[in-house]
Amino acid sequence: MVSPRKNKQLFIDKEALATLALAKEGILGKVTKLMNKEEAVSTNETGYYKGSPMPFSFIMAPNGRRNQEVITSCKTGEILDLIVGREKKGEVVVEDYFEIDKVKRITNIFGTYDPSDHETQVLLKRLGKLAISGEFTLDFDEVKESKERIRQAKEELGAKKITALMMTARPFHRAHERLLRMALEKADLLVIFLLKPNKIDPFSFELRLKSLQYFVDNYLPKNRVLIVPFENTYIFAGHNNPVLESIAAYNFGCTKLVIGQNHSGIGMYFDKNQPHSSLDRYKKDLPLEVVILSEFVYCNICKTLVSTKTCPHGQHHHIKYHSESLKALLTAGILPPAVLMRKDISAILLSELFPNRFENIQRIYDDIFPNAGLLESHDEKDFYLELMKLYQTTSLV
């Protein structure tokens, strides 16, 4: 995007650009501009914008001394260039600017303010004292391309029932598999939005996408499943993310959103055997059907993966799928049992997390694994797959 005039510049990052693109492409419903102070205050207080659900205000308050100086010097109607790196990626037509309370802003997004929390620290660094309001234009096509991919998939399948599922897959485990299968069962098309968590994580976005794509390609009817990467936005990281996910899924063309009971921000609880969640506030106003599935566990009596709603055995018989515990095993280099994670997924993750881990992997492979009697070349993924087979040998147990 090239401007014939010399405008003042605001410097933003790619995450801010991608989030602006969600609004510009209509993914956030009626939110298509940067809110002014009156709109921001009203949205934060009511949870609505122009009569539609919006859990917190949509504003841009870029940090940095230069940005703050530009904002304080701008006038109504002035055009500011949006710069990402060294490249112009858009323009904003100034309506006004106003001061924000960083603590209140973070509390609105995360539900609490904890300065020791990593997510809070990241947002604090990105937030400036002044927010700018107004209409904007962008040169950024990722969201538009995602909308087009979904539209084409719907058209090719003649799909009427389109289910959305948003996940981080940190890491992708057996309970995720069951969730995907159940979501796909009553859908013509399943759209999986892979999110970028606002946290330090050893599992890169590329690695999580690789493991998820592998599962879809090998274990699901892949012509009915579409993965949409949300690599460049943190907007779904807060405690209000189920509401935002519902709005976004609908505006991407989905008719249903499936959420697991342990999904971040869902706040699931029961009162007189009736389920309640953070979505109750917007129940009548959400534009699509939202289904909350029960937690999945492995029961050592049932000998299979079950829902906590249908298993008659107590919690002491249940193996739970806690992502943090699985991450701890994997980052320590330990191969998780197949009951927790599919062995080929584990192999993908460990071979990426620990490249060149063994000095002579070919020799170890030849020494401990059976072979066809031929000279074969093997990589670290092959090594972990064969190792899991040995773990599963039962005649000597």
Side-chain angles (χ1 to χ4, degrees):
M1 180 178 286
V2 179
S3 174
R5 57 190 173 273
K6 185 68 174 175
N7 298 328
K8 294 175 184 175
Q9 298 177 329
L10 283 179
F11 290 84
I12 61 174
D13 55 25
K14 197 171 183 181
E15 285 80 7
L17 178 65
T19 304
L20 290 173
L22 289 175
K24 183 50 62 178
E25 291 298 324
I27 302 303
L28 302 182
K30 294 182 180 179
V31 179
T32 58
K33 64 182 282 288
L34 294 168
M35 296 180 185
N36 58 38
K37 184 175 182 178
E38 183 181 348
E39 291 169 329
V41 170
S42 174
T43 302
N44 288 333
E45 288 178 350
T46 66
Y48 283 80
Y49 177 70
K50 294 184 177 180
S52 295
M54 186 63 191
F56 55 81
S57 57
F58 189 78
I59 64 173
M60 183 172 71
N63 200 8
R65 180 180 57 81
R66 188 190 305 178
N67 282 337
Q68 300 296 292
E69 289 174 353
V70 167
I71 292 173
T72 54
S73 68
C74 66
K75 299 176 182 178
T76 300
E78 187 173 355
I79 297 175
L80 305 180
D81 291 342
L82 298 174
I83 307 297
V84 179
R86 296 182 178 181
E87 189 176 357
K88 179 178 175 180
K89 284 293 185 178
E91 294 178 346
V92 58
V93 181
V94 178
E95 177 185 340
D96 198 1
Y97 68 86
F98 55 96
E99 190 169 339
I100 68 165
D101 184 322
K102 291 186 180 183
V103 174
K104 285 185 178 179
R105 176 65 176 166
I106 291 171
T107 303
N108 286 334
I109 294 174
F110 294 135
T112 185
Y113 179 77
D114 178 4
S116 65
D117 178 67
H118 174 72
E119 290 184 330
T120 299
Q121 292 171 4
V122 169
L123 192 51
L124 273 173
K125 290 179 181 177
R126 301 180 75 232
L127 275 178
K129 293 181 180 179
L130 299 174
I132 193 163
S133 63
E135 301 284 349
F136 58 88
T137 57
L138 299 175
D139 179 14
F140 185 76
D141 294 329
E142 283 187 12
V143 177
K144 189 181 296 183
E145 289 167 358
S146 295
K147 283 175 64 177
E148 180 59 19
R149 287 179 62 211
I150 295 172
R151 188 198 65 77
Q152 288 181 0
K154 288 167 62 176
E155 189 175 289
E156 289 171 5
L157 291 168
K160 302 298 182 185
K161 298 177 182 178
I162 300 93
T163 296
L165 197 152
M166 299 201 181
M167 62 192 308
T168 57
R170 310 169 38 240
F172 184 79
H173 51 65
R174 292 283 192 179
H176 288 141
E177 293 186 19
R178 179 59 61 88
L179 190 64
L180 263 59
R181 291 186 189 280
M182 290 192 70
L184 184 59
E185 191 170 318
K186 295 182 179 180
D188 301 320
L189 173 66
L190 174 63
V191 182
I192 306 170
F193 296 93
L194 185 63
L195 306 178
K196 179 176 184 176
N198 194 12
K199 295 180 179 180
I200 296 174
D201 201 306
F203 301 95
S204 68
F205 186 87
E206 293 75 19
L207 180 54
R208 290 184 289 114
L209 179 58
K210 181 179 180 179
S211 58
L212 178 59
Q213 189 68 63
Y214 175 87
F215 176 76
V216 170
D217 288 345
N218 290 277
Y219 298 103
L220 293 179
K222 60 184 179 181
N223 65 313
R224 292 175 51 216
V225 181
L226 187 64
I227 300 175
V228 176
F230 266 11
E231 180 182 5
N232 293 312
T233 180
Y234 291 122
I235 195 172
F236 302 103
H239 83 297
N240 291 300
N241 59 350
V243 179
L244 282 174
E245 290 171 3
S246 301
I247 297 168
Y250 174 77
N251 289 301
F252 267 113
C254 301
T255 58
K256 180 190 290 188
L257 175 67
V258 171
I259 296 176
Q261 182 177 312
N262 292 332
H263 187 77
S264 170
I266 197 65
M268 193 77 178
Y269 69 95
F270 286 85
D271 182 21
K272 297 178 181 179
N273 290 324
Q274 292 299 310
H276 296 276
S277 75
S278 60
L279 292 171
D280 289 355
R281 175 185 182 187
Y282 298 103
K283 202 171 229 180
K284 295 179 181 178
D285 299 308
L286 289 176
L288 81 173
E289 180 186 1
V290 179
V291 177
I292 302 174
L293 295 180
S294 300
E295 180 184 5
F296 295 112
V297 296
Y298 183 88
C299 175
N300 65 3
I301 301 295
C302 295
K303 301 296 183 185
T304 190
L305 202 68
V306 294
S307 161
T308 52
K309 233 179 188 179
T310 60
C311 180
H313 308 112
Q315 290 188 17
H316 53 290
H317 289 293
H318 292 167
I319 297 172
K320 296 190 175 184
Y321 293 84
H322 287 307
S323 293
E324 292 302 318
S325 297
L326 282 169
K327 280 202 301 183
L329 288 177
L330 289 162
T331 53
I334 298 173
L335 192 60
V339 70
L340 296 176
M341 184 178 292
R342 190 175 290 272
K343 61 179 182 288
D344 28 358
I345 299 292
S346 296
I348 289 172
L349 296 175
L350 284 174
S351 60
E352 292 275 348
L353 288 172
F354 297 95
N356 305 314
R357 185 180 190 182
F358 302 100
E359 187 174 338
N360 191 341
I361 194 169
Q362 187 65 49
R363 180 181 61 79
I364 300 173
Y365 192 100
D366 292 338
D367 284 348
I368 65 176
F369 299 132
N371 58 69
L374 302 173
L375 289 176
E376 300 172 327
S377 178
H378 300 283
D379 59 19
E380 295 193 351
K381 181 184 173 185
D382 297 331
F383 174 83
Y384 290 115
L385 285 171
E386 291 299 321
L387 191 60
M388 178 58 78
K389 289 179 183 178
L390 289 189
Y391 284 142
Q392 293 174 307
T393 299
T394 57
S395 61
L396 296 178
V397 174

